[in-house]
Amino acid sequence: MSDDAGQMLMVYDDPSDQRSLSLDDTSSAEESPDETRLSLESTNDVVPYIGQRFPTHDAAYEYYSEFAKSCGFSIRRHRTEGKDGVGKGLTRRYFVCHRAGNTPIKTSNENKPQRNRKSSRCGCQAYMRISKVTELGAPEWRVTGFANNHNHELLEPNQVRFLPAYRTISETDKSRILMFAKTGISVQQMMRLMELEKCVEPGYLPFTEKDVRNLLQSIRKLDPEDESVDLLRMCRNIKEKDPNFRYEYTLDSNNRLENIAWSYASSIQAYEIFGDAVVFDTTHRLTALDMPLGIWVGVNNYGVPCFFGCTLLREENLRSFSWALKAFLAFMDGKAPQTILTDQNMCLKEAIAMEMPVTKHALCIWMIVVKFPSWFNAVLGERYNEWKAEFYRLYNLESIEDFEMGWRDMVNSFGLHTNRHIANLFALRMQWALPYLRSNFFAGMTTTGHSKVINAFIQRFLGAQTRLAHFVEQVAVAVDFKDQAAEQQTMQQNLQNICLKTGAPMESHAASVLTPFAFSKLQEQLVLAAHYASFPFEDGFLVRHHTKLEGGRKVYWAPQEGIISCSCHQFEFSGILCRHTLRVLSTGNCFQIPERYLPLRWRKISTHSVKLLQSSPSDHAERIQFLQSMVSSLIAESVKSKERLDLATEQVSYLLSRIRQQPVTTQGLRDISPLHRNL
């Protein structure tokens, strides 16, 4: 050996191995198969042997890796030797068991939090050494040392696949995962889909859920400033494609993104009709930049959640919330909702009072209930479910007196006199308990069942997170997906045959006007109305269940003006007449529900139709064309059965007589004359 070759340069892939491994020429099986020792009798017919040849050191690594996998361990590159280090002068290479070496000593850094990760290294001496040999001008690599002595247990075949060395995500799979992430599905759902695509059993993909989460997290870990620039660029691009897309943002003193809010054209259009009751959920954070995320949501006439807008805020303070509400009102042309439901947040409460002074602010019941296990599970023990059932009963009561009396009984029964959460809930009762909120319209979003639907709707957007710059686009995809699902649900509702249960004319009238969702709510009240009795009382009626001799609800009815109201305030609360008013209308020989008590937001009418009905007088001609379209649809639907035809004839005759009583304007004649010529 020359002097140059004698002065070998050693380079370690992992510095910790230098302290714990001694893989020199004296400790290995060298140049002779007889000296090779195996700690296990392997049935594998690919056991490395001294003198085995490979064209490259990478080929040797792959070979040893396959052998290791069959035995129950994995390998890593340990150190290289050569005159010039790694590269052209490389002459010798070591591959070792993944548990070789000792736990590396980490240098402490006060400014950087330390991860308490346990090491699997235990000083294992199993290895394979290869050396570079040049004969007849063709370089090759030969095995010059091999030991399979392990000081730890080897893994079973069904366990070894979980070692990091054998968990890989191919480029094709990465593309699929990123595509799935844009749709908002969970990592667990991604794994199941890919298992089905690859026809493998659950849990047998070459990667785990943790690997997928790490991949998505690595994509999100970009420079926040670059992310902000890309986010604004994305908004500008969407605005160029869709002029009706709206967004607002603010920059701080360092010209960095501080707040941003946006809404899509379909969302703004939906808000015009269904923006009377809104949920503003600010309980989530966007992982990409750890920013608070606010989402505005409502429900449409089919009871399906609809998206109104989104905001990302730097801070959760009065200034930020106030800015977000101003931006939202600007998107919606200054139209504030009648009611808004939020989480309990003092800054948000003040901001709503400032920016939406006329809007009724209440607390979301599901944002309260989700905290119950941590508040009361340990306190109540086995009685927790019993208490929760009693809480829901009190929550749904109609009378304030009944609620407060029942609350006192509940506190006494469960011994919660000193519980601070109970005290806080009672102090805030006027913002969450239904007996205090029934005079305000909430579109049914205060029911726990509907709350879960809306919460699941919001969770879909939280899943649509890869990069922040793509978040706006990904939410648009999720909104579009939900819009299509809503259209399908609407179609399914309309295709269902409506079953009339009472035979009352009011029921058939309501069925012809309301959506199946809204009609089912009214029908429940119509069925219940048959069990109630009405008595003249002062300037109205007293209505109570036929089994009761006292109490009841006061109903005031002015037939000439077509006005009716009940002390239970159900119509004001849900837009659906209550059983008490329906009983009085039935007793008073009223065969149709007054028009004002069939709200536009619950009728079988599309967003485009309502927009035309609410349009200005300048759209008169367009509205006439729309009326013609409705008449054509009316005829097509009516001729399908004798019952439909009779109903249509009766309703149109009544409508025509009312129309003839209305005055005629010269503007209307001018607008309709061109249409006569076209016809």
Side-chain angles (χ1 to χ4, degrees):
M1 183 177 289
S2 66
D3 294 339
D4 291 340
Q7 297 177 354
M8 302 292 287
L9 176 63
M10 298 184 183
V11 179
Y12 290 83
D13 284 21
D14 191 330
S16 65
D17 292 338
Q18 188 174 3
R19 304 187 309 273
S20 58
L21 286 175
S22 177
L23 305 180
D24 54 19
D25 295 347
T26 61
S27 66
S28 64
E30 176 95 31
E31 303 296 346
S32 173
D34 296 336
E35 298 176 9
T36 301
R37 297 168 56 217
L38 295 176
S39 62
L40 294 176
E41 292 184 6
S42 175
T43 58
N44 199 310
D45 58 357
V46 292
V47 179
Y49 58 89
I50 302 301
Q52 189 173 2
R53 299 179 180 185
F54 300 96
T56 64
H57 61 83
D58 286 333
Y61 178 84
E62 293 298 327
Y63 183 89
Y64 189 31
S65 179
E66 285 299 318
F67 168 76
K69 186 175 183 180
S70 66
C71 291
F73 67 101
S74 66
I75 64 169
R76 55 186 169 85
R77 293 176 173 86
H78 168 52
R79 79 184 187 203
T80 58
E81 295 177 356
K83 289 181 287 186
D84 301 320
V86 179
K88 295 180 180 179
L90 181 63
T91 60
R92 188 177 292 177
R93 176 108 233 190
Y94 289 86
F95 307 125
V96 298
C97 174
H98 73 286
R99 301 193 67 176
N102 295 319
T103 305
I105 301 174
K106 296 182 180 180
T107 56
S108 60
N109 187 344
E110 295 181 356
N111 298 324
K112 187 177 180 180
Q114 298 295 314
R115 298 178 65 181
N116 186 23
R117 177 185 288 175
K118 294 181 179 180
S119 173
S120 64
R121 298 189 181 185
C122 60
C124 181
Q125 295 291 315
Y127 80 102
M128 185 178 84
R129 183 179 66 235
I130 57 175
S131 299
K132 189 176 183 180
V133 179
T134 303
E135 292 181 355
L136 301 176
E140 63 179 10
W141 294 82
R142 293 181 183 175
V143 177
T144 58
F146 173 68
N148 203 27
N149 299 322
H150 296 270
N151 63 352
H152 56 88
E153 291 185 6
L154 298 180
L155 301 176
E156 297 293 331
N158 64 335
Q159 297 174 325
V160 71
R161 61 192 176 88
F162 292 114
L163 290 174
Y166 304 124
R167 296 190 339 238
T168 57
I169 304 179
S170 66
E171 291 302 318
T172 303
D173 288 339
K174 286 181 181 179
S175 299
R176 296 287 291 165
I177 290 168
L178 295 179
M179 183 190 71
F180 289 148
K182 288 185 178 182
T183 66
I185 66 174
S186 67
V187 172
Q188 189 176 15
Q189 291 170 324
M190 294 181 198
M191 297 289 288
R192 186 58 185 144
L193 280 173
M194 299 185 80
E195 287 166 353
L196 293 172
E197 288 177 348
K198 296 176 182 291
C199 298
V200 300
E201 294 183 12
Y204 276 81
L205 287 172
F207 48 85
T208 63
E209 285 190 24
K210 184 178 180 181
D211 298 325
V212 175
R213 296 184 196 280
N214 289 340
L215 172 65
L216 296 176
Q217 189 66 24
S218 66
I219 294 171
R220 296 170 189 152
K221 285 185 176 179
L222 300 173
D223 188 337
E225 292 189 21
D226 292 342
E227 280 278 86
S228 300
V229 172
D230 290 344
L231 175 60
L232 294 177
R233 186 183 295 116
M234 178 65 71
C235 287
R236 294 189 188 101
N237 292 340
I238 297 175
K239 183 72 173 178
E240 290 176 3
K241 296 176 184 177
D242 182 5
N244 293 318
F245 172 76
R246 299 181 184 180
Y247 73 102
E248 294 286 346
Y249 66 93
T250 61
L251 303 176
D252 61 16
S253 57
N254 296 319
N255 210 34
R256 294 180 301 181
L257 181 66
E258 186 178 33
N259 305 306
I260 186 169
W262 67 92
S263 184
Y264 308 98
S266 61
S267 302
I268 296 168
Q269 190 175 12
Y271 183 84
E272 290 181 11
I273 314 141
F274 311 118
D276 39 19
V278 173
V279 172
F280 185 31
D281 189 342
T282 58
T283 60
H284 308 285
R285 301 183 78 85
L286 188 66
T287 309
L289 281 184
D290 193 32
M291 294 177 73
L293 173 68
I295 301 176
W296 287 279
V297 183
V299 292
N300 66 12
N301 50 340
Y302 286 84
V304 178
C306 52
F307 176 87
F308 293 144
C310 227
T311 185
L312 285 168
L313 307 173
R314 177 81 60 81
E315 302 289 343
E316 293 182 272
N317 54 32
L318 176 60
R319 178 174 167 271
S320 296
F321 284 133
S322 180
W323 176 87
L325 293 172
K326 284 180 180 178
F328 179 73
L329 289 175
F331 297 157
M332 306 307 171
D333 299 321
K335 178 184 175 182
Q338 295 178 29
T339 55
I340 187 167
L341 290 157
T342 72
D343 189 25
Q344 184 181 349
N345 186 304
M346 288 304 298
C347 293
L348 182 55
K349 181 181 178 182
E350 291 183 35
I352 292 172
M354 290 170 52
E355 307 302 334
M356 299 178 176
V358 183
T359 300
K360 173 65 178 178
H361 178 212
L363 301 179
C364 290
I365 186 61
W366 81 80
M367 297 182 191
I368 295 174
V369 172
V370 74
K371 302 170 186 175
F372 281 178
S374 60
W375 286 357
F376 302 113
N377 218 335
V379 175
L380 296 170
E382 295 180 353
R383 299 193 70 190
Y384 171 72
N385 289 331
E386 180 188 352
W387 171 84
K388 194 173 179 180
E390 177 63 11
F391 173 86
Y392 281 130
R393 187 189 72 80
L394 296 174
Y395 170 75
N396 286 293
L397 288 174
E398 293 182 356
S399 165
I400 293 176
E401 294 78 11
D402 291 345
F403 173 84
E404 295 190 351
M405 185 181 300
W407 188 272
R408 286 193 295 270
D409 293 342
M410 179 265 290
V411 171
N412 293 331
S413 175
F414 291 90
L416 296 172
H417 303 84
T418 59
N419 187 281
R420 62 186 180 89
H421 297 300
I422 285 291
N424 187 43
L425 282 172
F426 188 72
L428 295 171
R429 64 192 182 281
M430 298 180 70
Q431 289 184 270
W432 62 264
L434 295 190
Y436 300 91
L437 301 175
R438 292 192 181 277
S439 297
N440 303 277
F441 180 73
F442 286 97
M445 292 191 293
T446 54
T447 62
T448 51
H450 217 82
S451 298
K452 292 178 181 178
V453 174
I454 294 173
N455 193 37
F457 180 70
I458 291 173
Q459 291 296 327
R460 184 169 192 85
F461 303 122
L462 301 181
Q465 295 184 38
T466 50
R467 286 189 58 194
L468 175 61
H470 297 157
F471 182 67
V472 178
E473 194 175 40
Q474 289 161 10
V475 171
V477 171
V479 169
D480 184 59
F481 178 84
K482 196 66 184 181
D483 286 345
Q484 293 179 28
E487 289 176 6
Q488 183 179 4
Q489 188 171 343
T490 297
M491 180 195 69
Q492 290 173 345
Q493 285 191 30
N494 288 331
L495 288 176
Q496 293 173 355
N497 293 323
I498 294 180
C499 178
L500 301 182
K501 297 179 180 180
T502 67
M506 279 193 296
E507 185 182 19
S508 59
H509 174 229
S512 67
V513 177
L514 300 178
T515 64
F517 170 79
F519 173 70
S520 67
K521 304 297 181 185
L522 182 69
Q523 191 178 50
E524 289 176 10
Q525 298 300 315
L526 275 167
V527 171
L528 290 172
H531 299 272
Y532 282 73
S534 63
F535 309 94
F537 178 79
E538 296 178 355
D539 54 346
F541 295 86
L542 185 66
V543 182
R544 59 172 173 253
H545 196 269
H546 71 94
T547 60
K548 295 184 178 180
L549 300 177
E550 296 181 354
R553 293 296 180 184
K554 295 178 181 178
V555 176
Y556 300 93
W557 184 30
Q560 299 300 324
E561 292 80 13
I563 297 174
I564 191 167
S565 64
C566 180
S567 59
C568 75
H569 300 295
Q570 176 163 311
F571 180 77
E572 293 85 347
F573 181 66
S574 65
I576 302 295
L577 282 177
C578 64
R579 52 196 178 275
H580 314 109
T581 54
L582 291 170
R583 179 60 184 169
V584 170
L585 289 174
S586 178
T587 305
N589 297 324
C590 183
F591 301 107
Q592 288 190 342
I593 295 175
E595 286 293 310
R596 69 174 65 195
Y597 298 108
L598 297 171
L600 204 59
R601 69 115 52 235
W602 292 132
R603 296 194 183 196
K604 288 189 287 190
I605 194 165
S606 67
T607 302
H608 176 70
S609 306
V610 176
K611 190 174 182 181
L612 284 176
L613 290 173
Q614 295 177 337
S615 58
S616 62
S618 61
D619 300 321
H620 195 69
E622 187 178 358
R623 294 174 70 185
I624 293 172
Q625 290 177 336
F626 173 65
L627 178 60
Q628 289 177 324
S629 174
M630 289 182 66
V631 170
S632 298
S633 299
L634 174 66
I635 295 172
E637 291 293 328
S638 300
V639 297
K640 292 181 179 179
S641 70
K642 181 180 181 300
E643 291 76 16
R644 286 189 176 195
L645 190 60
D646 291 343
L647 177 63
T649 304
E650 178 188 351
Q651 296 295 325
V652 171
S653 299
Y654 172 72
L655 179 62
L656 190 59
S657 64
R658 288 190 60 187
I659 290 173
R660 285 171 175 162
Q661 296 174 5
Q662 304 300 314
V664 178
T665 63
T666 55
Q667 176 65 38
L669 292 173
R670 284 198 301 269
D671 287 337
I672 201 171
S673 57
L675 293 173
H676 274 304
R677 288 195 297 271
N678 292 335
L679 290 171

